[in-house]
């Protein structure tokens, strides 16, 4: 016997008018409400009530109370913890390294929590993040840092070793290194006395540049692709909209984004099996986890048996994988 709800969903989603009616219903009010906006001479639909920049966007994580945001090995970070360490780093970048709005902050490392902290920190003070491919060799990392005109580099021990003796004028922050030569600029040593709330707020417009991500360079040197605050925040909201449309097609009553985010005992969990430096890892997993309250589980390196144990232990409910081709200069495409 065919489930009647499936027929309802099919009827709603199979026709243009049905899909249009669903979109109109879901976006008529609340955080998914749409309005027209002229951006650089073109007219777009934008989320009227959505965050105006990434700094505002990160605040959505606090709606999930004491839910776990990041798990790495035996370490666990709540959403509030993520903002605490990110803001401490943000204040440090301003006070100790004189990072100003529009300056580029490059970083490269394994899928560590500090990758996320670095991304949030820099974009929260109006700086532009430059997440570099962690598979790149020393000369390739040097290319990304110099090509982007980065003012500072944040890296783990492996990446710092790769650029040793290069770009002596570029300050470095060391992540998870025990080497004595890097301890003076250790991530947590530098931020330990910094306030856990943003001290010097700067104005961040939706159309301000927020990140530079490099292409694979399969036919030449990688090219830096610039993304704005609005462009980045639009993507996860759009994915939430698509998911909500699908749920609404099956539901009898409208379900708002606010109701989705406030649902009790509904936390999902995802296993991060792709690099954070790729948009799949940074946008579809890391950034999307914030409004939907999803737990993100990181691994030091991929291990199938350990992954199965982790899936069971952390009750993983979502898994995203990509295939990668290594380009001429070590970049990747999916």
């Amino acid at each position: 016997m065919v489930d009647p709800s499936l027929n309802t969903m099919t009827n709603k989603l199979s026709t243009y008018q049905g899909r249009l009616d669903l979109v109109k219903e879901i976006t008529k009010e609340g955080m998914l409400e749409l309005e027209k906006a002229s951006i650089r001479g073109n007219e777009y639909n934008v989320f009227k009530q959505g965050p105006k920049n990434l700094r505002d966007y990160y605040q959505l994580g606090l709606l999930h109370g004491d839910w776990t945001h990041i798990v790495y090995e035996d370490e666990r970070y709540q959403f509030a913890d993520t903002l605490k360490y990110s803001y401490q780093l943000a204040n440090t970048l301003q006070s100790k390294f004189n990072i100003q709005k529009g300056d580029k902050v490059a970083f490269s490392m394994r899928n560590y929590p500090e990758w996320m902290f670095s991304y949030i920190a820099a974009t929260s003070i109006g700086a532009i993040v430059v997440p570099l491919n962690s598979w790149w060799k020393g000369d390739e990392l040097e290319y990304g840092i110099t090509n982007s005109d980065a003012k500072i580099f944040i890296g783990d021990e492996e990446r710092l070793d790769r650029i040793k003796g290069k770009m002596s004028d570029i300050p470095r922050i060391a992540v998870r290194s025990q080497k004595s030569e890097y301890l003076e600029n250790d991530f947590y040593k530098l931020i330990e006395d910094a306030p856990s709330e943003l001290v010097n707020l700067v104005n961040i417009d939706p159309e301000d540049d927020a990140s530079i991500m490099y292409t694979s360079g399969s036919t030449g040197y990688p090219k830096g692709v610039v993304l704005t605050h609005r462009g980045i925040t639009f993507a996860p909201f759009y994915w939430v909209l698509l998911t909500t449309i699908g749920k609404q097609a099956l539901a009898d009553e409208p379900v708002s984004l606010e109701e989705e985010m406030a649902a009790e005992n509904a936390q999902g969990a995802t296993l991060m099996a792709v690099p954070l430096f790729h948009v799949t890892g940074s946008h579809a997993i890391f950034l999307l986890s914030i409004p939907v309250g999803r737990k993100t589980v990181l691994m030091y390196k991929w291990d199938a048996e350990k992954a199965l144990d982790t899936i069971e232990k952390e009750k993983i409910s979502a898994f995203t994988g990509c295939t990668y081709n290594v380009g001429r200069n070590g970049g990747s495409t999916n």
Side-chain angles (χ1 to χ4, degrees):
M1 182 176 179
V2 178
D3 187 341
S5 65
L6 294 179
N7 288 330
T8 300
M9 180 176 68
T10 301
N11 291 336
K12 289 180 179 179
L13 294 178
S14 63
T15 66
Y16 173 78
Q17 188 58 48
R19 295 192 295 271
L20 186 62
D21 289 343
L22 281 171
V23 172
K24 287 181 177 178
E25 175 63 32
I26 292 167
T27 63
K28 67 181 181 181
E29 60 183 0
M31 292 187 71
L32 294 178
E33 181 181 357
L34 296 174
E35 67 175 354
K36 296 287 186 181
S38 180
I39 303 172
R40 300 180 182 177
N42 297 302
E43 190 174 74
Y44 298 94
N45 284 310
V46 300
F47 293 105
K48 182 178 181 180
Q49 304 298 331
K52 301 305 180 185
N53 54 54
L54 281 164
R55 184 176 62 211
D56 293 346
Y57 177 85
Y58 302 137
Q59 295 299 309
L60 296 175
L62 298 178
L63 297 176
H64 311 301
D66 58 359
W67 279 4
T68 299
H69 180 207
I70 305 170
V71 175
Y72 174 70
E73 303 290 320
D74 296 326
E75 303 169 15
R76 309 183 80 83
Y77 303 85
Q78 297 176 353
F79 283 89
D81 296 326
T82 296
L83 287 186
K84 171 191 172 183
Y85 292 119
S86 299
Y87 288 167
Q88 284 184 300
L89 176 58
N91 291 323
T92 300
L93 289 174
Q94 288 179 321
S95 63
K96 294 184 179 180
F97 296 97
N98 195 33
I99 298 299
Q100 305 292 318
K101 178 180 178 179
D103 286 344
K104 284 80 170 183
V105 176
F107 49 90
S108 182
M109 65 191 81
R110 289 179 178 268
N111 282 0
Y112 288 138
E114 291 80 9
W115 194 104
M116 302 182 186
F117 302 160
S118 298
Y119 192 105
I120 292 174
T123 52
S124 291
I125 58 175
I128 301 170
V129 291
V130 186
L132 297 177
N133 191 326
S134 61
W135 298 336
W136 278 357
K137 298 178 182 178
D139 59 342
E140 293 167 325
L141 288 171
E142 181 181 20
Y143 165 79
I145 294 169
T146 57
N147 181 261
S148 65
D149 194 27
K151 296 291 191 282
I152 190 171
F153 177 75
I154 306 171
D156 59 7
E157 185 175 290
E158 295 165 273
R159 264 41 66 172
L160 290 173
D161 282 346
R162 292 177 193 176
I163 62 170
K164 189 180 298 183
K166 303 176 182 289
M167 304 166 294
S168 59
D169 59 325
I170 300 294
R172 289 137 163 89
I173 295 178
V175 172
R176 296 181 184 262
S177 173
Q178 297 302 314
K179 287 189 174 181
S180 58
E181 61 193 289
Y182 300 139
L183 292 181
E184 185 64 27
N185 290 321
D186 174 72
F187 184 98
Y188 290 102
K189 180 178 180 179
L190 288 171
I191 73 170
E192 62 182 348
D193 296 325
S196 57
E197 297 289 337
L198 292 175
V199 174
N200 300 311
L201 291 177
V202 300
N203 180 61
I204 303 175
D205 187 82
E207 308 316 319
D208 283 341
D209 295 341
S211 82
I212 300 175
M213 302 192 76
Y214 278 85
T215 63
S216 65
S218 56
T219 59
Y221 285 101
K223 310 299 189 296
V225 179
V226 179
L227 301 174
T228 66
H229 281 261
R230 191 196 298 275
I232 294 173
T233 58
F234 183 90
F237 265 67
Y238 179 68
W239 293 326
V240 169
L241 173 59
L242 292 179
T243 301
T244 307
I245 289 173
K247 290 182 178 180
Q248 183 56 44
L250 287 170
D252 294 326
E253 298 293 332
V255 179
S256 69
L257 174 60
E258 290 84 348
E259 291 171 327
E260 285 280 322
M261 295 193 298
E264 294 184 1
N265 303 318
Q267 185 177 28
T270 185
L271 181 63
M272 177 77 76
V274 296
L276 276 163
F277 66 75
H278 192 278
V279 290
T280 304
S282 61
H283 291 55
I285 300 179
F286 158 48
L287 289 173
L288 182 58
S289 72
I290 294 172
V292 301
R294 188 171 59 187
K295 177 172 65 175
T296 302
V297 182
L298 308 176
M299 298 176 64
Y300 175 76
K301 64 181 294 185
W302 175 254
D303 181 292
E305 290 189 7
K306 187 173 182 179
L308 290 173
D309 292 339
T310 302
I311 288 170
E312 181 178 7
K313 177 183 177 182
E314 297 295 341
K315 297 180 174 55
I316 300 298
S317 56
F319 181 85
T320 300
C322 287
T323 58
Y324 291 89
N325 295 317
V326 178
R328 170 181 169 184
N329 291 286
S332 62
T333 56
N334 65 336

